[in-house]
């Protein structure tokens, strides 16, 4: 086998036949297989077996009674069981267009990439299939936070949250993975140094069924981030904590000698902003200083943003002190905690943003993404089970 398409499923019975039909039209029957790793509690396994009976592309099923690691665990189990030189991972709800699978494989073969990511955020890609403004905001914010936490490993990946990608089986060290939750691509890229190339794609609407994303999955994503990365961010946090203590000490000292608390807050902010910049240069982002930006440029971006952020906090500090019984120094501490993540994301994604080292789809430059929802040709419905 040269290609194994791995489809993790959880209660996706209505989508199986259409997915197999479209994959069968996109893949050559020789040298390809479709591997479902199923954690369902409905009749999805029966739908998979029924589709396997008529599919020209071989279809295999692994049904897990204990869904260890969630979707990510299912993908890892599929990679272990794969027979292909390349593994293509995609969802079973048809939001990932099967017609793009040959494009991912062609790009991988033509570029020497280890991973080809189908991205919603390059070229003509789009996340139009996400339902509602709220989900789009959460998705974009999650991507920004994730890329900020792994600036070097994700320098060539604009969409680490996607579940649609192709990987060279021999390039992956499976034993290094600790899968949990939905975001297996993040797990793979964060734990290993791999050559990544991207292809744009349009994230389509669900063919049938309902999304499995919920608050629990959000918590698992946070746990995954915490497990993967507390190196750079912890150093940023430590310097921020030192700066916060210095900020509060300077402010308290100035108030003690009669300086108005707002003036004291401004002075303390200026001193700690400048000090934090040079500490971050030396201990947090030292490996990203040679990314084409001059020291003066980084200083201006960092100090300018922190100054604006500090000014934005002053009205909040004023409101807290004036309308609550919270002391001014404690109120300042609260606003500093709120600002921490915003400052980290800005510095990692703007001030020290790493340059791409691979182009976007150099093999197929200028190609349009395959539409996510293609009109079904007349008479091409899948055979009934």
């Amino acid at each position: 086998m040269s290609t194994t398409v791995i489809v993790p499923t959880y209660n996706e019975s209505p989508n199986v036949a259409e997915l197999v039909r479209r994959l069968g039209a996109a893949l050559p029957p020789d040298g390809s297989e479709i591997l479902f790793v199923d954690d369902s509690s409905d009749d999805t396994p029966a739908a998979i077996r029924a589709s396997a009976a008529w599919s020209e592309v071989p279809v295999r099923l692994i049904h897990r009674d204990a869904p260890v690691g969630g979707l990510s665990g299912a993908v890892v189990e599929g990679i272990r069981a794969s027979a292909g030189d390349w593994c293509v991972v995609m969802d079973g709800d048809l939001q990932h267009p099967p017609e793009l699978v040959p494009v991912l494989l062609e790009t991988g073969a033509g570029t020497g990439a280890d991973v080809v990511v189908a991205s919603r955020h390059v070229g003509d890609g789009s996340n139009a299939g996400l339902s509602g403004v709220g989900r789009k905001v959460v998705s974009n914010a999650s991507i920004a936070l994730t890329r900020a936490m792994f600036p070097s490993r994700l320098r060539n990946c604009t969409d680490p949250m996607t579940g649609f990608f192709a990987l060279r089986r021999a390039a992956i060290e499976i034993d290094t993975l600790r899968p949990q939750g939905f975001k297996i691509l993040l797990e793979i890229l964060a734990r290993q140094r791999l050559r990544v190339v991207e292809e744009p794609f349009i994230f389509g609407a669900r063919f049938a069924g309902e999304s499995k994303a919920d608050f629990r999955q959000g918590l698992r994503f946070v746990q995954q981030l915490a497990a993967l990365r507390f190196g750079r961010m912890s150093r940023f946090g430590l310097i921020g904590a030192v700066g916060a203590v210095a900020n509060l000490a300077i402010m308290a000292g100035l108030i003690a000698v009669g300086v108005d608390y707002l003036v004291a807050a401004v002075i303390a902010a200026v001193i700690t902003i400048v000090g934090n910049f040079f500490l971050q240069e030396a201990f947090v982002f030292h490996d990203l200083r040679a990314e084409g930006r001059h020291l003066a440029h980084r200083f201006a971006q960092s100090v300018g943003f922190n100054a604006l952020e500090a000014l934005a906090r002053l009205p909040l500090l004023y409101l807290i002190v004036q309308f609550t019984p919270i002391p001014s120094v404690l109120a300042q501490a609260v606003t500093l905690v709120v600002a921490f993540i915003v400052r980290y994301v800005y510095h990692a994604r703007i001030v020290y943003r790493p340059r791409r080292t691979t182009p976007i789809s150099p093999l197929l430059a200028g190609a349009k993404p395959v539409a996510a929802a293609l009109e079904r040709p007349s008479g091409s419905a899948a055979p009934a089970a």
Side-chain angles (χ1 to χ4, degrees), residues 212-233:
K212 309 305 187 297
D214 57 19
F215 182 71
R216 288 179 299 173
Q217 293 299 333
L219 290 179
R220 287 175 185 165
F221 168 63
V222 173
Q223 292 171 354
Q224 181 182 18
L225 283 181
L228 285 169
R229 168 55 38 120
F230 267 127
R232 192 186 303 274
M233 195 172 187

Side-chain angles (χ1 to χ4, degrees), residues 45-63:
I48 294 170
R49 294 187 185 98
S51 297
W54 53 259
S55 174
E56 293 186 7
V57 176
V59 175
R60 287 199 287 146
L61 167 65
I62 298 174
H63 180 74

Side-chain angles (χ1 to χ4, degrees), residues 123-176:
D124 295 320
S126 167
N127 63 358
L130 280 178
S131 57
V133 175
R135 283 196 66 192
K136 291 179 181 178
V137 170
V138 170
S139 175
N140 291 335
S142 299
I143 290 171
L145 176 60
T146 302
R147 296 192 70 194
M149 293 182 73
F150 304 93
S152 295
R153 295 292 175 92
L154 300 181
R155 69 170 67 226
N156 296 316
C157 183
T158 62
D159 198 356
M161 314 301 284
T162 185
F164 191 17
F165 57 93
L167 57 88
R168 194 186 303 273
R169 176 67 175 79
I172 307 301
E173 297 179 12
I174 297 181
D175 292 338
T176 66

